[in-house]
Amino acid sequence: VLETLVADLRRSPPREREELEIGRMLRGVYEAGFDRKLMERPGCYTRTCVYNDERFELLLLNWHPGALSSVHDHGGQHCWFVVLAGNLRVDDFTRIDAGDVAGHALVEARDSRTLLPGDLDLRSGDFDIHRVAHAGEGCAVTLHVYAQPLHTFNVYDHHAHTYKSATGSYDEVLGSPR
Ligand SMILES: [Fe+2]
């Protein structure tokens, strides 16, 4: 299923498609069933690269109980994900300062929702900020499309009112048809 998705996206990359179409493609992976064994790290999440090129990257994240992402943006890129297994909580934040002081950011918690298997989340734009946490029982698995690939983004400390730049890294890379 993932191989088909990669081939499909390589033919016509995410930024040339309608957002609803990406959502349908991701949901298709969920509906087809997913049982690949992924790397695990107790209390954390791991990032597995399925495919990347200069136009997009496809990642699988495996969320152990207790896993919690930073409060982060997406470097101005588009980011879609579907929950393949388990439950997650997504906390949205809004940046309320003018963004004109380096290293300083005021972000405010907006709302939270729980995502169930098959649910989708879409992010785009510079200040689309969220935090993702494991919820419920057992591991949770999500499939992400970033377009373009997510190289650098910002991580926010919403208590200290600061942010810093971060870079994405992979815990493992699946053999992909390149
Ligand atoms: Fe994110």
Side-chain angles (χ1 to χ4, degrees):
V1 192
L2 288 178
E3 287 74 10
T4 311
L5 177 63
V6 168
D8 209 356
L9 289 174
R10 286 181 69 182
R11 256 195 313 277
S12 166
R15 295 292 284 261
E16 292 171 15
R17 293 172 184 264
E18 298 284 339
E19 287 182 349
L20 282 176
E21 193 188 349
I22 307 286
R24 269 200 302 276
M25 294 168 86
L26 289 178
R27 193 183 286 268
V29 176
Y30 162 72
E31 284 165 357
F34 179 84
D35 58 1
R36 199 190 288 254
K37 182 99 181 94
L38 297 171
M39 199 174 156
E40 297 181 16
R41 195 177 302 134
C44 301
Y45 63 90
T46 57
R47 302 174 95 235
T48 298
C49 175
V50 178
Y51 177 82
N52 70 51
D53 63 22
E54 64 287 347
R55 299 173 302 174
F56 71 95
E57 69 183 333
L58 196 62
L59 297 184
L60 284 161
L61 270 63
N62 192 15
W63 304 78
H64 238 259
L68 176 69
S69 81
S70 59
V71 177
H72 62 274
D73 64 22
H74 300 86
Q77 306 302 344
H78 288 260
C79 162
W80 298 259
F81 76 79
V82 64
V83 180
L84 296 179
N87 297 348
L88 292 163
R89 192 190 75 238
V90 178
D91 304 321
D92 287 319
F93 291 80
T94 306
R95 184 164 181 176
I96 52 174
D97 67 307
D100 52 1
V101 181
H104 174 81
L106 273 179
V107 296
E108 209 171 58
R110 205 166 65 206
D111 50 43
S112 290
R113 50 214 169 91
T114 300
L115 299 183
L116 305 176
D119 284 348
L120 294 160
D121 189 75
L122 164 67
R123 304 280 146 183
S124 64
D126 277 336
F127 295 132
D128 200 342
I129 298 167
H130 71 174
R131 173 174 64 188
V132 182
H134 176 276
E137 307 280 317
C139 285
V141 176
T142 48
L143 174 65
H144 299 242
V145 175
Y146 296 99
Q148 322 281 334
L150 188 61
H151 294 305
T152 60
F153 53 96
N154 291 320
V155 169
Y156 299 83
D157 183 329
H158 61 297
H159 299 298
H161 305 156
T162 57
Y163 72 90
K164 58 179 193 285
S165 179
T167 51
S169 63
Y170 302 140
D171 295 292
E172 63 175 339
V173 178
L174 298 184
S176 55
R178 299 200 68 164

